[in-house]
Amino acid sequence: MIRIPFYLSLFFIVSCASTTKNDSRKIASISRDLNGTYLGVAQYKPGRRGPNKPAIRIYLQAVEGEPEKYHGILLEYVDLLKMAPSYIASNKLPFIANRTGYLKHITSNISAYEVVPGEVAGSYNMWPLSVVEDRIEAKRVGTPRVLTLSTDDNLKHPLEGATISSVREDGPEEIFFPKKDDNKSNGIQYGTAKLAYEKAKLESTWRKNYLPGPYLSQYHKVDDVVLDLSQVEGKDHAEFKLNPNMSHLSTDKRSKMFTNPLSAFLQGHFTATEPRDGMFLFQSGTGDEKTKEIVQGRIGLFIDIFDASKSLNQDVVELALINPENPDDFLMYYEHPENGEGSR
């Protein structure tokens, strides 16, 4: 995360354009390098809680030695208009954030996939990843999401005009990556995110390395370190800890300070392994049984959702521990803003 309240304030005034012309498609074989990260739109049925068209982001990384096979991370942004005040307060107005709460909600769900060529040219099956003992394996059961690429030429990026199919009844009807003249309305959330990234020259990065250092309960709440990551003799370690300065708070109040209330009272040491590139498991814990039950079986991902390390030399990574069986259930911790690329 970064310190750019000016651009996040644009969330209150930006609007998006809808397109009107239909687009012809060509039937062709498609071979395209999909490496990268792409901003898109999730189209939900009307009436859901939250935006009907939230912005989404997918990260795709080629699997080494396996042509046309990728690892994919799919996340959905929270309502960016509502997020902005918490972000600004966390950055610049701690006296307000101490009363209203620091930023703790950036995404509403996160899921991980193995992405492989499908039966139709230009399509990819997105098989969800699951944890099996000390491994991360593709769960090839049922119907996968299908990523279908546009067959058009001269695209701005490899996923422009692409779609991702639905698999959950309560999920989006379709995910799409806007393309000029695609006859789709992108929604204000996509326009807001696109404007913020472009104007502030931001990136969004999935970090593949284990990043040691202190991690916080909420973004920029520097007095609330609840997780320490370290590397000792070539091994990755994690210590979940209780903050004694918060011991006076009730269970309910303390739980509400985290992205996920389950994070509130975790404690103990774990060893981290990396079964797949950039995907970590926290195992061999010495914590209490409840902590082990919550932490083990989750996939750890280091993602800088609003990455300004190049444009503003500001680097705060989020560590998400996702539940492979439920993308809405994830723990999230926020790197200390003074840590900087796992320097401590």
Side-chain angles (χ1 to χ4, degrees):
M1 290 292 294
I2 57 168
R3 306 182 183 97
I4 51 160
F6 172 74
Y7 289 112
L8 282 175
S9 67
L10 292 173
F11 289 168
F12 296 106
I13 60 174
V14 69
S15 61
C16 72
S18 359
T19 55
T20 56
K21 288 175 64 179
N22 201 2
D23 189 40
S24 60
R25 304 241 177 214
K26 298 176 292 184
I27 299 175
S29 176
I30 301 174
S31 179
R32 194 178 296 165
D33 182 3
L34 305 184
N35 274 301
T37 177
Y38 309 98
L39 189 66
V41 180
Q43 176 66 67
Y44 284 85
K45 295 178 182 178
R48 75 181 291 256
R49 185 176 180 180
N52 289 333
K53 292 183 179 179
I56 66 94
R57 181 170 292 280
I58 191 170
Y59 307 83
L60 291 169
Q61 178 67 43
V63 177
E64 187 175 355
E66 299 189 58
E68 293 197 78
K69 183 176 181 180
Y70 298 85
H71 287 142
I73 304 299
L74 187 65
L75 65 82
E76 181 180 301
Y77 291 85
V78 297
D79 188 329
L80 297 173
L81 300 175
K82 293 181 178 180
M83 186 194 86
S86 294
Y87 174 80
I88 295 169
S90 298
N91 257 313
K92 298 297 184 182
L93 305 170
F95 60 94
I96 293 178
N98 282 327
R99 293 186 176 184
T100 62
Y102 287 75
L103 177 64
K104 59 181 180 180
H105 293 299
I106 306 173
T107 67
S108 58
N109 59 68
I110 311 174
S111 47
Y113 300 89
E114 182 179 270
V115 183
V116 297
E119 294 72 24
V120 178
S123 72
Y124 289 79
N125 291 332
M126 299 177 61
W127 295 104
L129 293 175
S130 63
V131 177
V132 181
E133 296 178 347
D134 59 351
R135 307 182 304 279
I136 299 175
E137 297 184 352
K139 191 175 182 180
R140 296 175 180 266
V141 178
T143 302
R145 288 185 183 272
V146 178
L147 167 65
T148 303
L149 303 180
S150 169
T151 58
D152 291 342
D153 298 322
N154 303 317
L155 300 175
K156 292 181 180 179
H157 61 76
L159 260 63
E160 186 182 25
T163 62
I164 297 177
S165 63
S166 174
V167 292
R168 291 173 57 186
E169 183 65 28
D170 60 345
E173 296 180 294
E174 179 186 69
I175 292 172
F176 66 91
F177 298 86
K179 179 180 178 297
K180 184 179 179 180
D181 300 332
D182 63 6
N183 201 32
K184 294 179 178 180
S185 172
N186 301 335
I188 192 171
Q189 297 292 324
Y190 173 82
T192 298
K194 187 172 185 292
L195 180 62
Y197 279 100
E198 289 178 350
K199 291 297 183 180
K201 296 181 174 58
L202 305 180
E203 297 180 338
S204 189
T205 52
W206 170 19
R207 308 297 181 84
K208 300 307 176 64
N209 296 331
Y210 193 81
L211 299 178
Y215 285 76
L216 312 173
S217 63
Q218 302 174 25
Y219 172 59
H220 227 274
K221 187 169 175 52
V222 296
D223 63 347
D224 199 9
V225 174
V226 294
L227 173 63
D228 269 320
L229 304 184
S230 61
Q231 292 177 312
V232 181
E233 297 180 350
K235 293 185 178 182
D236 299 327
H237 299 269
E239 181 186 1
F240 295 86
K241 54 176 61 177
L242 302 180
N243 183 351
N245 295 326
M246 301 294 170
S247 61
H248 64 286
L249 298 176
S250 68
T251 298
D252 183 62
K253 189 169 184 178
R254 182 55 172 158
S255 297
K256 289 179 179 178
M257 294 177 69
F258 291 81
T259 299
N260 189 327
L262 292 175
S263 295
F265 300 102
L266 302 183
Q267 56 182 324
H269 291 81
F270 291 80
T271 299
T273 60
E274 188 179 7
R276 294 199 180 210
D277 189 23
M279 299 184 184
F280 299 88
L281 298 180
F282 293 83
Q283 299 180 314
S284 305
T286 61
D288 58 42
E289 290 305 313
K290 186 174 181 180
T291 298
K292 291 180 183 179
E293 181 180 338
I294 292 171
V295 171
Q296 294 183 154
R298 294 179 183 268
I299 299 174
L301 305 168
F302 292 91
I303 300 175
D304 195 342
I305 297 173
F306 293 100
D307 183 351
S309 55
K310 291 183 180 178
S311 59
L312 299 175
N313 194 32
Q314 296 173 356
D315 169 38
V316 177
V317 174
E318 293 82 51
L319 168 62
L321 297 178
I322 69 170
N323 179 351
E325 305 301 323
N326 181 3
D328 300 330
D329 172 29
F330 59 92
L331 316 180
M332 185 169 278
Y333 304 92
Y334 304 83
E335 186 184 22
H336 194 293
E338 296 178 4
N339 191 48
E341 204 63 32
S343 60
R344 289 171 62 185

